[in-house]
Amino acid sequence: MFMQAYTNQTYALLRIFAGLTFLFHGTQKLFTFPVASPHEMPAFVIYIAGPIELIGGLLVAVGLFTRWAAFLCSGLMAAGYWMVHGTQAFFPIVNQGDLAIMYCFAFLFISAQGSGIWSVDDARGSA
């Protein structure tokens, strides 16, 4: 089948890039890097969500304690979706919550799947 031979590699790329892009949401909140957030955020978002995004994203990207880190990141995005976006409108395209939903379910999948190849967990024999 088309691309079936590359399942492990494409999954590893999904894990790595989901983790890295999530990590940058944390650096944006905590360090205003690479850019400052265009929205004013409450302190609890900065000091709770920021570290989870930064540390959780890093752990998922490198594949260390991947299942737990991804599960925590998934839960954060589920809570974030319902606190910020879900109260505004039903459809994610309308309430601008589609990124939060995609992160939530991507991390839920990663949590269920584990770290896979190209990960610290795999190198330690605990993937």
Side-chain angles (χ1 to χ4, degrees):
M1 295 291 191
F2 176 72
M3 292 292 293
Q4 189 171 3
Y6 303 103
T7 300
N8 292 335
Q9 292 84 356
T10 56
Y11 173 71
L13 290 172
L14 169 69
R15 177 185 50 78
I16 292 165
F17 283 95
L20 287 175
T21 58
F22 202 62
L23 173 148
F24 286 124
H25 284 280
T27 62
Q28 179 186 39
K29 286 176 182 65
L30 296 171
F31 310 120
T32 63
F33 175 82
V35 294
S37 175
H39 307 291
E40 188 69 29
M41 288 184 236
F44 78 90
V45 170
I46 295 170
Y47 297 114
I48 293 175
I52 292 172
E53 291 169 347
L54 176 69
I55 297 166
L58 178 64
L59 290 173
V60 169
V62 300
L64 179 62
F65 309 119
T66 307
R67 290 182 191 271
W68 287 106
F71 188 74
L72 181 62
C73 293
S74 175
L76 176 69
M77 287 295 89
Y81 177 82
W82 288 111
M83 289 173 63
V84 177
H85 304 284
T87 58
Q88 296 178 10
F90 180 75
F91 294 105
I93 193 92
V94 177
N95 66 31
Q96 298 176 335
D98 32 3
L99 183 59
I101 283 180
M102 290 302 297
Y103 271 129
C104 177
F105 285 99
F107 285 128
L108 187 62
F109 178 70
I110 292 167
S111 177
Q113 190 74 17
S115 57
I117 64 169
W118 304 340
S119 67
V120 175
D121 287 341
D122 186 44
R124 295 180 331 137
S126 59

